[in-house]
Amino acid sequence: MTDLPLEKQLTHFCFCDAIDDIEDIEILKIELGKLHLLYLRQQVLFAQMAKNCLL
């Protein structure tokens, strides 16, 4: 993780700290699903940006 910029390391630390406090597995599943959708949306956005740069 040290290859990430400091702000990304802090974000990761805060995320891990936040999920560490979740005791209800159903809430954890919902939050993980939201995170996965965010990741997928970002991947689509990055692909679109790359495509536009190549045109």
Side-chain angles (χ1 to χ4, degrees):
M1 185 170 82
T2 57
D3 57 329
L4 292 174
L6 286 177
E7 67 273 6
K8 298 297 182 186
Q9 291 181 40
L10 178 60
T11 300
H12 179 71
F13 174 77
C14 291
F15 172 77
C16 290
D17 191 47
I19 63 170
D20 191 43
D21 293 338
I22 298 175
E23 294 180 6
D24 186 338
I25 193 73
E26 292 306 315
I27 291 173
L28 189 58
K29 287 178 186 178
I30 291 167
E31 294 304 315
L32 187 57
K34 289 179 188 177
L35 181 63
H36 187 244
L37 287 175
L38 176 61
Y39 169 78
L40 293 175
R41 287 184 190 113
Q42 286 179 339
Q43 294 303 307
V44 169
L45 178 61
F46 292 148
Q48 289 171 341
M49 289 169 54
K51 183 179 176 184
N52 287 337
C53 287
L54 296 175
L55 296 178

